[in-house]
Amino acid sequence: MLRLFLGLFLVMTVGLVAALQTVEHTFNALLDNQMQAYNREAVRGQAWSLVEHMRDQQGAAREAQLEALRPHYGLTLSLIEADQLNLNDQEKAELAQDLLVIRDDYTQFISNIDGGSQLLSIKLPPEPSLMPFYIAGAYLMLAVLLGIVLYFWVRPHWRDLEKLRLAAERFGDNDLSVRIQLSKRSNIRDLAGHFNLMAARIEGLIANQRELTNAVSHELRTPIARLSFELDQLKQQPDASQNRELIADMYADLGELEEMVSELLTYASLERGATVITRENIQAANWLDSVVGSVALEAEAAGVQLLIVDCRVDEVRIEPRFMARAVINLLRNAIRYAEQRVEVSLVRIGDQYEVQVNDDGPGVPLAGREKIFEPFSRLDASRDRRTGGFGLGLALVRRVSQSHGGQVEVGDSPWGGASFRMTWAHLD
Protein backbone atom coordinates (compact mmCIF):
# COMPACT_ATOMS: atom_id res chain seq x y z
CA MET A 1 0.00 0.00 0.00
CA LEU A 2 2.87 2.39 0.84
CA ARG A 3 4.26 2.31 -2.70
CA LEU A 4 0.81 2.80 -4.20
CA PHE A 5 0.04 5.67 -1.84
CA LEU A 6 3.40 7.41 -2.30
CA GLY A 7 3.26 7.02 -6.06
CA LEU A 8 -0.22 8.52 -6.31
CA PHE A 9 0.62 11.20 -3.74
CA LEU A 10 3.71 12.39 -5.61
CA VAL A 11 1.95 12.36 -8.97
CA MET A 12 -1.08 14.25 -7.66
CA THR A 13 0.98 16.76 -5.66
CA VAL A 14 3.30 17.60 -8.53
CA GLY A 15 0.34 17.67 -10.89
CA LEU A 16 -1.61 20.00 -8.59
CA VAL A 17 1.30 22.43 -8.21
CA ALA A 18 1.93 22.39 -11.95
CA ALA A 19 -1.78 22.93 -12.59
CA LEU A 20 -1.96 25.88 -10.19
CA GLN A 21 1.07 27.51 -11.77
CA THR A 22 -0.27 26.90 -15.26
CA VAL A 23 -3.65 28.36 -14.38
CA GLU A 24 -2.04 31.40 -12.75
CA HIS A 25 0.23 32.19 -15.69
CA THR A 26 -2.53 31.52 -18.21
CA PHE A 27 -4.99 33.89 -16.56
CA ASN A 28 -2.28 36.49 -16.00
CA ALA A 29 -1.59 36.45 -19.71
CA LEU A 30 -5.27 36.54 -20.63
CA LEU A 31 -6.20 39.26 -18.15
CA ASP A 32 -3.06 41.38 -18.46
CA ASN A 33 -4.85 44.36 -20.07
CA GLN A 34 -7.63 44.32 -17.49
CA MET A 35 -5.15 44.03 -14.61
CA GLN A 36 -3.07 46.90 -15.94
CA ALA A 37 -6.18 49.08 -16.23
CA TYR A 38 -7.24 48.15 -12.71
CA ASN A 39 -3.85 48.86 -11.12
CA ARG A 40 -3.45 52.05 -13.13
CA GLU A 41 -6.73 53.32 -11.72
CA ALA A 42 -5.75 52.26 -8.20
CA VAL A 43 -2.50 54.26 -8.25
CA ARG A 44 -3.52 57.08 -10.57
CA GLY A 45 -4.64 59.43 -7.79
CA GLN A 46 -1.43 59.14 -5.78
CA ALA A 47 0.70 59.53 -8.89
CA TRP A 48 -1.20 62.69 -9.90
CA SER A 49 -0.80 64.18 -6.41
CA LEU A 50 2.96 63.54 -6.39
CA VAL A 51 3.41 64.96 -9.89
CA GLU A 52 1.48 68.11 -8.96
CA HIS A 53 3.82 68.72 -6.03
CA MET A 54 6.93 68.37 -8.20
CA ARG A 55 5.83 69.76 -11.54
CA ASP A 56 7.09 73.29 -10.84
CA GLN A 57 10.33 72.12 -9.19
CA GLN A 58 13.61 71.47 -10.97
CA GLY A 59 16.87 69.74 -10.11
CA ALA A 60 17.75 69.62 -6.41
CA ALA A 61 14.53 71.33 -5.40
CA ARG A 62 12.49 68.59 -7.02
CA GLU A 63 14.55 65.92 -5.24
CA ALA A 64 14.09 67.76 -1.93
CA GLN A 65 10.36 68.03 -2.50
CA LEU A 66 10.15 64.28 -3.18
CA GLU A 67 12.19 63.59 -0.04
CA ALA A 68 9.70 65.63 1.99
CA LEU A 69 6.72 63.76 0.49
CA ARG A 70 8.19 60.23 0.77
CA PRO A 71 7.31 59.61 4.49
CA HIS A 72 3.62 60.46 3.92
CA TYR A 73 2.92 57.94 1.12
CA GLY A 74 4.38 54.64 2.27
CA LEU A 75 5.69 54.05 -1.24
CA THR A 76 9.17 53.73 -2.69
CA LEU A 77 9.51 56.99 -4.64
CA SER A 78 12.43 57.96 -6.86
CA LEU A 79 13.34 60.15 -9.79
CA ILE A 80 14.86 58.40 -12.77
CA GLU A 81 16.01 59.36 -16.25
CA ALA A 82 14.09 57.88 -19.17
CA ASP A 83 17.22 56.56 -20.92
CA GLN A 84 17.98 54.40 -17.87
CA LEU A 85 14.69 52.45 -18.20
CA ASN A 86 15.07 51.03 -21.73
CA LEU A 87 11.49 51.96 -22.53
CA ASN A 88 9.88 50.09 -25.39
CA ASP A 89 7.62 51.71 -27.98
CA GLN A 90 4.41 50.85 -26.17
CA GLU A 91 5.70 52.33 -22.89
CA LYS A 92 6.84 55.50 -24.67
CA ALA A 93 3.39 55.82 -26.21
CA GLU A 94 1.74 55.39 -22.79
CA LEU A 95 3.95 58.13 -21.28
CA ALA A 96 3.14 60.43 -24.19
CA GLN A 97 -0.55 59.98 -23.32
CA ASP A 98 0.16 60.70 -19.63
CA LEU A 99 -0.61 57.10 -18.70
CA LEU A 100 1.25 55.18 -16.03
CA VAL A 101 3.73 52.57 -17.25
CA ILE A 102 3.39 49.38 -15.21
CA ARG A 103 6.25 46.97 -14.59
CA ASP A 104 7.39 44.10 -12.27
CA ASP A 105 4.04 42.30 -11.96
CA TYR A 106 2.08 45.48 -11.24
CA THR A 107 4.42 46.62 -8.43
CA GLN A 108 6.24 49.49 -10.22
CA PHE A 109 4.51 52.51 -11.80
CA ILE A 110 6.37 55.07 -13.91
CA SER A 111 4.79 58.51 -14.41
CA ASN A 112 5.57 61.43 -16.66
CA ILE A 113 6.22 64.66 -14.66
CA ASP A 114 6.47 67.56 -17.08
CA GLY A 115 7.11 65.89 -20.42
CA GLY A 116 10.87 65.96 -19.91
CA SER A 117 13.38 63.17 -19.61
CA GLN A 118 13.01 62.86 -15.82
CA LEU A 119 10.31 60.42 -14.69
CA LEU A 120 8.77 59.48 -11.35
CA SER A 121 9.10 55.83 -10.26
CA ILE A 122 6.54 54.59 -7.76
CA LYS A 123 7.01 51.12 -6.23
CA LEU A 124 4.55 49.42 -3.97
CA PRO A 125 5.76 48.30 -0.54
CA PRO A 126 7.66 45.01 -0.70
CA GLU A 127 6.00 41.85 0.46
CA PRO A 128 6.69 40.70 4.04
CA SER A 129 10.05 38.95 4.42
CA LEU A 130 8.31 35.76 5.56
CA MET A 131 6.01 35.60 2.55
CA PRO A 132 8.03 32.81 0.82
CA PHE A 133 7.70 30.76 4.02
CA TYR A 134 3.97 31.47 4.14
CA ILE A 135 3.60 30.32 0.54
CA ALA A 136 5.68 27.21 1.22
CA GLY A 137 3.58 26.53 4.32
CA ALA A 138 0.38 26.93 2.32
CA TYR A 139 1.59 24.45 -0.28
CA LEU A 140 2.69 22.06 2.49
CA MET A 141 -0.70 22.29 4.17
CA LEU A 142 -2.37 21.66 0.82
CA ALA A 143 -0.14 18.60 0.28
CA VAL A 144 -0.97 17.23 3.76
CA LEU A 145 -4.70 17.67 3.23
CA LEU A 146 -4.39 16.09 -0.19
CA GLY A 147 -2.47 13.18 1.36
CA ILE A 148 -5.19 12.62 3.98
CA VAL A 149 -7.93 12.57 1.37
CA LEU A 150 -5.85 10.35 -0.89
CA TYR A 151 -5.16 7.91 1.96
CA PHE A 152 -8.84 7.34 2.66
CA TRP A 153 -9.44 6.94 -1.07
CA VAL A 154 -6.54 4.52 -1.62
CA ARG A 155 -7.14 2.34 1.44
CA PRO A 156 -10.26 0.46 0.21
CA HIS A 157 -8.73 0.09 -3.25
CA TRP A 158 -5.55 -1.30 -1.74
CA ARG A 159 -7.55 -3.68 0.46
CA ASP A 160 -9.45 -5.04 -2.54
CA LEU A 161 -6.33 -5.24 -4.68
CA GLU A 162 -4.60 -7.12 -1.85
CA LYS A 163 -7.46 -9.64 -1.83
CA LEU A 164 -7.05 -10.01 -5.59
CA ARG A 165 -3.29 -10.49 -5.20
CA LEU A 166 -3.67 -13.12 -2.50
CA ALA A 167 -6.31 -14.93 -4.53
CA ALA A 168 -4.04 -14.93 -7.61
CA GLU A 169 -1.17 -16.20 -5.46
CA ARG A 170 -3.30 -19.03 -4.06
CA PHE A 171 -4.56 -19.85 -7.54
CA GLY A 172 -0.98 -20.01 -8.75
CA ASP A 173 -0.24 -22.44 -5.89
CA ASN A 174 -2.85 -24.84 -7.37
CA ASP A 175 -5.77 -23.82 -5.15
CA LEU A 176 -8.11 -23.73 -8.13
CA SER A 177 -11.25 -23.30 -6.01
CA VAL A 178 -10.26 -19.84 -4.76
CA ARG A 179 -12.70 -17.03 -5.55
CA ILE A 180 -12.92 -13.35 -4.61
CA GLN A 181 -15.89 -11.82 -2.80
CA LEU A 182 -15.92 -8.00 -2.75
CA SER A 183 -18.37 -5.39 -1.60
CA LYS A 184 -20.88 -4.11 -4.14
CA ARG A 185 -19.35 -0.66 -3.65
CA SER A 186 -15.88 -1.84 -4.65
CA ASN A 187 -14.47 -0.12 -7.73
CA ILE A 188 -12.73 -3.33 -8.84
CA ARG A 189 -15.79 -5.55 -8.41
CA ASP A 190 -15.98 -6.09 -12.19
CA LEU A 191 -12.31 -7.07 -12.25
CA ALA A 192 -12.92 -9.54 -9.42
CA GLY A 193 -15.90 -10.94 -11.33
CA HIS A 194 -13.75 -11.50 -14.42
CA PHE A 195 -11.10 -13.15 -12.23
CA ASN A 196 -13.74 -15.51 -10.81
CA LEU A 197 -14.99 -16.37 -14.30
CA MET A 198 -11.42 -17.00 -15.45
CA ALA A 199 -10.70 -19.14 -12.39
CA ALA A 200 -13.87 -21.17 -12.87
CA ARG A 201 -13.08 -21.67 -16.55
CA ILE A 202 -9.50 -22.77 -15.84
CA GLU A 203 -10.64 -25.05 -13.03
CA GLY A 204 -13.18 -26.63 -15.35
CA LEU A 205 -10.64 -27.07 -18.14
CA ILE A 206 -8.10 -28.66 -15.84
CA ALA A 207 -10.75 -30.93 -14.34
CA ASN A 208 -11.86 -31.94 -17.84
CA GLN A 209 -8.26 -32.52 -18.85
CA ARG A 210 -7.69 -34.78 -15.86
CA GLU A 211 -10.92 -36.66 -16.53
CA LEU A 212 -10.04 -37.01 -20.20
CA THR A 213 -6.53 -38.21 -19.40
CA ASN A 214 -7.80 -40.80 -16.94
CA ALA A 215 -10.65 -41.85 -19.21
CA VAL A 216 -8.47 -42.09 -22.32
CA SER A 217 -5.91 -44.22 -20.53
CA HIS A 218 -8.73 -46.46 -19.33
CA GLU A 219 -10.46 -46.66 -22.70
CA LEU A 220 -7.25 -47.43 -24.57
CA ARG A 221 -6.46 -50.42 -22.38
CA THR A 222 -9.29 -52.59 -23.72
CA PRO A 223 -8.54 -52.51 -27.47
CA ILE A 224 -4.79 -52.60 -26.80
CA ALA A 225 -5.22 -55.60 -24.50
CA ARG A 226 -7.34 -57.34 -27.15
CA LEU A 227 -4.72 -56.62 -29.81
CA SER A 228 -2.00 -57.99 -27.58
CA PHE A 229 -4.02 -61.11 -26.89
CA GLU A 230 -4.85 -61.57 -30.56
CA LEU A 231 -1.18 -61.18 -31.53
CA ASP A 232 -0.25 -63.88 -29.04
CA GLN A 233 -2.96 -66.12 -30.48
CA LEU A 234 -1.72 -65.36 -33.99
CA LYS A 235 1.76 -66.59 -33.11
CA GLN A 236 0.39 -69.84 -31.74
CA GLN A 237 -2.23 -70.48 -34.44
CA PRO A 238 -1.17 -72.99 -37.09
CA ASP A 239 -4.42 -72.83 -39.10
CA ALA A 240 -4.39 -70.08 -41.76
CA SER A 241 -8.20 -69.80 -41.82
CA GLN A 242 -8.24 -69.07 -38.12
CA ASN A 243 -5.43 -66.53 -38.72
CA ARG A 244 -7.72 -64.62 -41.05
CA GLU A 245 -10.39 -64.44 -38.36
CA LEU A 246 -7.89 -63.12 -35.81
CA ILE A 247 -6.54 -60.59 -38.31
CA ALA A 248 -10.11 -59.37 -38.98
CA ASP A 249 -10.63 -58.92 -35.25
CA MET A 250 -7.35 -57.02 -35.03
CA TYR A 251 -8.45 -54.70 -37.86
CA ALA A 252 -11.70 -54.15 -36.03
CA ASP A 253 -9.79 -53.23 -32.87
CA LEU A 254 -7.58 -50.87 -34.87
CA GLY A 255 -10.67 -49.26 -36.38
CA GLU A 256 -12.06 -48.84 -32.88
CA LEU A 257 -8.86 -47.13 -31.77
CA GLU A 258 -8.85 -44.88 -34.84
CA GLU A 259 -12.48 -43.88 -34.32
CA MET A 260 -11.89 -43.13 -30.66
CA VAL A 261 -8.79 -41.01 -31.39
CA SER A 262 -10.69 -39.11 -34.10
CA GLU A 263 -13.59 -38.32 -31.77
CA LEU A 264 -11.20 -37.44 -28.97
CA LEU A 265 -9.28 -34.98 -31.16
CA THR A 266 -12.49 -33.39 -32.39
CA TYR A 267 -13.86 -33.08 -28.86
CA ALA A 268 -10.59 -31.64 -27.50
CA SER A 269 -10.44 -29.12 -30.37
CA LEU A 270 -13.95 -27.86 -29.58
CA GLU A 271 -13.38 -27.97 -25.81
CA ARG A 272 -10.36 -25.66 -25.83
CA GLY A 273 -11.80 -23.35 -28.52
CA ALA A 274 -9.00 -24.03 -30.98
CA THR A 275 -11.42 -24.60 -33.85
CA VAL A 276 -13.05 -21.62 -35.55
CA ILE A 277 -16.71 -22.31 -36.33
CA THR A 278 -17.43 -20.89 -39.79
CA ARG A 279 -21.09 -21.23 -40.70
CA GLU A 280 -22.38 -21.77 -44.21
CA ASN A 281 -25.83 -21.78 -45.76
CA ILE A 282 -26.51 -25.42 -46.68
CA GLN A 283 -29.48 -26.88 -48.58
CA ALA A 284 -31.19 -28.62 -45.66
CA ALA A 285 -32.89 -31.61 -47.33
CA ASN A 286 -29.80 -32.71 -49.29
CA TRP A 287 -27.57 -32.28 -46.25
CA LEU A 288 -29.88 -34.33 -44.00
CA ASP A 289 -30.20 -37.05 -46.68
CA SER A 290 -26.41 -37.35 -46.91
CA VAL A 291 -26.05 -37.52 -43.12
CA VAL A 292 -28.70 -40.22 -42.80
CA GLY A 293 -27.22 -42.08 -45.77
CA SER A 294 -23.84 -42.28 -44.05
CA VAL A 295 -25.32 -44.51 -41.32
CA ALA A 296 -27.93 -46.32 -43.40
CA LEU A 297 -25.83 -49.49 -43.69
CA GLU A 298 -25.28 -49.56 -39.93
CA ALA A 299 -29.04 -49.29 -39.38
CA GLU A 300 -29.69 -52.06 -41.91
CA ALA A 301 -27.12 -54.32 -40.28
CA ALA A 302 -28.76 -53.76 -36.91
CA GLY A 303 -32.22 -54.46 -38.30
CA VAL A 304 -33.41 -50.93 -37.58
CA GLN A 305 -35.61 -48.87 -39.91
CA LEU A 306 -34.15 -45.37 -40.27
CA LEU A 307 -36.50 -42.67 -41.59
CA ILE A 308 -36.55 -38.93 -42.19
CA VAL A 309 -40.04 -37.96 -41.04
CA ASP A 310 -39.88 -34.18 -41.38
CA CYS A 311 -37.63 -31.58 -42.99
CA ARG A 312 -39.43 -28.25 -43.09
CA VAL A 313 -36.33 -26.16 -43.70
CA ASP A 314 -35.07 -24.94 -47.07
CA GLU A 315 -31.64 -23.82 -45.89
CA VAL A 316 -29.78 -24.35 -42.65
CA ARG A 317 -26.87 -22.19 -41.45
CA ILE A 318 -24.23 -24.44 -39.86
CA GLU A 319 -20.63 -25.53 -39.87
CA PRO A 320 -21.40 -28.58 -42.03
CA ARG A 321 -18.57 -30.93 -40.98
CA PHE A 322 -19.02 -30.65 -37.20
CA MET A 323 -22.81 -30.55 -37.35
CA ALA A 324 -22.89 -33.63 -39.57
CA ARG A 325 -20.64 -35.40 -37.07
CA ALA A 326 -22.99 -34.45 -34.23
CA VAL A 327 -26.14 -35.71 -36.03
CA ILE A 328 -24.35 -38.91 -37.06
CA ASN A 329 -23.45 -39.52 -33.42
CA LEU A 330 -27.09 -39.04 -32.41
CA LEU A 331 -28.21 -41.48 -35.12
CA ARG A 332 -25.59 -44.08 -34.20
CA ASN A 333 -26.56 -43.82 -30.56
CA ALA A 334 -30.24 -44.31 -31.49
CA ILE A 335 -29.44 -47.26 -33.80
CA ARG A 336 -27.35 -48.88 -31.09
CA TYR A 337 -30.23 -48.99 -28.63
CA ALA A 338 -33.30 -49.08 -30.92
CA GLU A 339 -35.44 -52.20 -31.30
CA GLN A 340 -36.96 -51.58 -34.71
CA ARG A 341 -37.01 -47.95 -35.79
CA VAL A 342 -35.31 -44.57 -35.60
CA GLU A 343 -36.85 -41.35 -36.89
CA VAL A 344 -35.11 -38.03 -37.50
CA SER A 345 -36.56 -34.58 -38.25
CA LEU A 346 -35.19 -31.09 -38.96
CA VAL A 347 -37.41 -28.04 -38.36
CA ARG A 348 -37.01 -24.34 -37.64
CA ILE A 349 -38.84 -22.83 -34.68
CA GLY A 350 -38.54 -19.04 -34.55
CA ASP A 351 -34.84 -18.16 -34.63
CA GLN A 352 -33.71 -21.69 -33.80
CA TYR A 353 -33.14 -24.89 -35.73
CA GLU A 354 -34.01 -28.22 -34.16
CA VAL A 355 -32.88 -31.75 -35.01
CA GLN A 356 -34.87 -34.45 -33.23
CA VAL A 357 -33.91 -38.14 -33.18
CA ASN A 358 -36.42 -40.64 -31.72
CA ASP A 359 -35.94 -44.36 -31.11
CA ASP A 360 -37.98 -47.21 -29.64
CA GLY A 361 -35.26 -48.51 -27.37
CA PRO A 362 -35.18 -48.68 -23.57
CA GLY A 363 -34.89 -44.91 -23.16
CA VAL A 364 -32.69 -42.97 -20.72
CA PRO A 365 -33.43 -42.93 -16.96
CA LEU A 366 -34.11 -39.50 -15.47
CA ALA A 367 -31.08 -39.74 -13.19
CA GLY A 368 -28.74 -40.28 -16.13
CA ARG A 369 -30.04 -37.74 -18.63
CA GLU A 370 -27.38 -35.18 -17.78
CA LYS A 371 -24.58 -37.64 -17.17
CA ILE A 372 -24.71 -39.17 -20.66
CA PHE A 373 -23.42 -35.91 -22.16
CA GLU A 374 -20.22 -36.05 -20.12
CA PRO A 375 -17.13 -37.44 -21.86
CA PHE A 376 -16.46 -41.19 -21.39
CA SER A 377 -19.70 -41.62 -19.50
CA ARG A 378 -21.98 -44.63 -20.10
CA LEU A 379 -25.04 -45.79 -18.24
CA ASP A 380 -24.44 -49.48 -19.00
CA ALA A 381 -21.32 -51.53 -18.41
CA SER A 382 -21.55 -53.42 -21.69
CA ARG A 383 -18.32 -53.66 -23.64
CA ASP A 384 -19.52 -55.40 -26.83
CA ARG A 385 -19.38 -53.52 -30.11
CA ARG A 386 -23.17 -53.24 -30.38
CA THR A 387 -23.82 -51.22 -27.24
CA GLY A 388 -20.35 -50.33 -25.99
CA GLY A 389 -19.16 -47.15 -27.66
CA PHE A 390 -16.57 -44.84 -26.11
CA GLY A 391 -18.75 -42.37 -24.22
CA LEU A 392 -17.52 -39.52 -26.42
CA GLY A 393 -20.29 -39.34 -29.02
CA LEU A 394 -22.92 -37.50 -26.99
CA ALA A 395 -20.28 -35.30 -25.33
CA LEU A 396 -19.21 -34.25 -28.81
CA VAL A 397 -22.86 -33.54 -29.73
CA ARG A 398 -23.14 -31.16 -26.75
CA ARG A 399 -19.91 -29.34 -27.70
CA VAL A 400 -21.01 -28.91 -31.31
CA SER A 401 -24.41 -27.54 -30.29
CA GLN A 402 -22.80 -25.17 -27.79
CA SER A 403 -20.34 -23.95 -30.43
CA HIS A 404 -23.40 -23.08 -32.55
CA GLY A 405 -25.08 -21.24 -29.68
CA GLY A 406 -27.46 -24.05 -28.80
CA GLN A 407 -27.94 -27.08 -26.57
CA VAL A 408 -28.94 -30.72 -26.58
CA GLU A 409 -31.30 -32.57 -24.27
CA VAL A 410 -32.89 -35.99 -24.00
CA GLY A 411 -36.48 -36.94 -23.18
CA ASP A 412 -38.96 -39.69 -23.93
CA SER A 413 -39.94 -40.62 -27.47
CA PRO A 414 -43.58 -41.40 -28.43
CA TRP A 415 -42.71 -45.13 -28.29
CA GLY A 416 -41.10 -45.05 -24.84
CA GLY A 417 -37.52 -44.84 -26.07
CA ALA A 418 -35.14 -41.86 -26.10
CA SER A 419 -35.81 -38.58 -27.85
CA PHE A 420 -32.77 -36.38 -28.44
CA ARG A 421 -33.40 -32.72 -29.32
CA MET A 422 -30.46 -30.64 -30.52
CA THR A 423 -31.15 -26.93 -31.06
CA TRP A 424 -28.97 -24.06 -32.20
CA ALA A 425 -29.45 -20.41 -33.04
CA HIS A 426 -29.84 -18.99 -36.52
CA LEU A 427 -27.13 -16.35 -36.95
CA ASP A 428 -26.63 -14.20 -40.04
Side-chain angles (χ1 to χ4, degrees):
M1 178 181 176
L2 183 60
R3 292 180 60 186
L4 175 64
F5 172 76
L6 289 178
L8 287 173
F9 177 73
L10 288 175
V11 169
M12 292 189 68
T13 302
V14 173
L16 181 60
V17 172
L20 291 174
Q21 292 296 320
T22 301
V23 169
E24 180 182 357
H25 286 85
T26 300
F27 276 88
N28 283 343
L30 292 174
L31 301 176
D32 182 62
N33 291 334
Q34 291 88 332
M35 291 297 296
Q36 286 199 30
Y38 170 79
N39 284 276
R40 197 174 276 124
E41 287 297 311
V43 181
R44 183 166 61 89
Q46 300 179 66
W48 179 83
S49 176
L50 289 168
V51 168
E52 285 298 312
H53 282 90
M54 292 184 296
R55 190 184 302 275
D56 297 331
Q57 308 292 331
Q58 296 294 331
R62 179 178 289 181
E63 183 65 39
Q65 182 68 25
L66 183 62
E67 185 68 25
L69 295 172
R70 195 176 280 129
H72 303 288
Y73 280 84
L75 301 171
T76 302
L77 306 174
S78 61
L79 297 172
I80 190 168
E81 295 297 325
D83 55 4
Q84 297 176 356
L85 294 175
N86 295 321
L87 296 170
N88 57 38
D89 293 339
Q90 181 181 352
E91 291 174 336
K92 291 178 181 178
E94 290 173 348
L95 289 175
Q97 299 173 24
D98 287 333
L99 296 175
L100 293 175
V101 173
I102 302 176
R103 286 186 171 184
D104 297 337
D105 294 331
Y106 317 114
T107 61
Q108 183 182 16
F109 302 86
I110 302 170
S111 175
N112 191 0
I113 299 176
D114 54 5
S117 62
Q118 195 174 49
L119 305 173
L120 173 64
S121 171
I122 304 172
K123 288 187 177 181
L124 299 180
E127 294 181 346
S129 59
L130 296 179
M131 184 57 70
F133 297 99
Y134 295 152
I135 295 175
Y139 275 106
L140 180 61
M141 184 180 296
L142 184 63
V144 171
L145 293 174
L146 179 64
I148 293 173
V149 173
L150 186 62
Y151 172 80
F152 285 104
W153 183 81
V154 166
R155 190 171 183 275
H157 289 76
W158 173 83
R159 182 187 60 230
D160 293 342
L161 288 172
E162 184 67 10
K163 288 181 181 179
L164 181 61
R165 185 191 68 81
L166 292 174
E169 185 176 339
R170 288 174 57 191
F171 194 82
D173 291 336
N174 209 29
D175 184 3
L176 302 182
S177 63
V178 64
R179 300 293 185 270
I180 306 172
Q181 300 297 330
L182 297 180
S183 167
K184 293 182 179 180
R185 297 187 299 271
S186 174
N187 289 329
I188 64 168
R189 182 177 174 83
D190 289 342
L191 177 61
H194 289 300
F195 175 88
N196 290 340
L197 290 175
M198 177 199 70
R201 176 64 174 165
I202 293 176
E203 183 182 20
L205 288 174
I206 291 178
N208 286 339
Q209 183 185 34
R210 289 172 179 169
E211 291 176 3
L212 283 174
T213 302
N214 294 333
V216 167
S217 62
H218 175 76
E219 292 291 332
L220 288 175
R221 286 196 187 102
T222 299
I224 289 175
R226 287 202 302 261
L227 280 171
S228 178
F229 175 77
E230 289 160 351
L231 283 171
D232 290 338
Q233 292 295 313
L234 190 63
K235 291 178 183 178
Q236 301 171 9
Q237 191 61 254
D239 190 351
S241 62
Q242 294 180 346
N243 286 351
R244 286 194 294 272
E245 183 178 347
L246 285 172
I247 290 173
D249 287 340
M250 291 171 67
Y251 273 117
D253 289 330
L254 286 173
E256 183 179 343
L257 281 172
E258 183 179 1
E259 184 179 355
M260 181 171 64
V261 169
S262 176
E263 288 207 349
L264 180 62
L265 290 175
T266 303
Y267 177 83
S269 176
L270 290 171
E271 173 69 17
R272 66 174 183 268
T275 301
V276 178
I277 301 297
T278 304
R279 298 194 184 196
E280 303 176 17
N281 288 321
I282 304 296
Q283 211 286 327
N286 293 339
W287 174 78
L288 189 59
D289 283 338
S290 66
V291 170
V292 172
S294 65
V295 294
L297 291 178
E298 297 178 32
E300 183 179 351
V304 174
Q305 185 182 20
L306 177 58
L307 297 174
I308 299 176
V309 296
D310 195 2
C311 183
R312 288 176 288 164
V313 179
D314 294 328
E315 283 191 344
V316 63
R317 187 165 178 78
I318 56 173
E319 201 291 326
R321 183 170 63 93
F322 285 123
M323 188 58 71
R325 184 64 174 270
V327 176
I328 287 172
N329 284 356
L330 286 177
L331 293 173
R332 282 177 173 169
N333 178 79
I335 293 168
R336 185 179 297 124
Y337 291 99
E339 295 293 336
Q340 294 182 346
R341 59 178 172 175
V342 172
E343 293 183 352
V344 58
S345 63
L346 171 59
V347 297
R348 179 172 176 178
I349 303 174
D351 290 332
Q352 285 195 325
Y353 299 110
E354 176 184 295
V355 168
Q356 186 168 0
V357 178
N358 296 328
D359 65 64
D360 60 352
V364 181
L366 286 173
R369 290 183 178 180
E370 183 65 26
K371 182 181 178 182
I372 60 174
F373 295 107
E374 298 175 2
F376 296 106
S377 175
R378 282 184 295 268
L379 299 184
D380 60 86
S382 175
R383 301 299 298 167
D384 64 81
R385 291 191 181 102
R386 174 173 166 79
T387 59
F390 313 114
L392 269 176
L394 294 179
L396 183 59
V397 172
R398 169 177 278 183
R399 287 301 176 196
V400 171
S401 63
Q402 289 176 342
S403 69
H404 282 69
Q407 60 181 356
V408 62
E409 59 185 15
V410 59
D412 295 323
S413 73
W415 317 299
S419 176
F420 285 86
R421 293 175 62 253
M422 180 174 65
T423 61
W424 67 94
H426 172 80
L427 300 177
D428 294 328

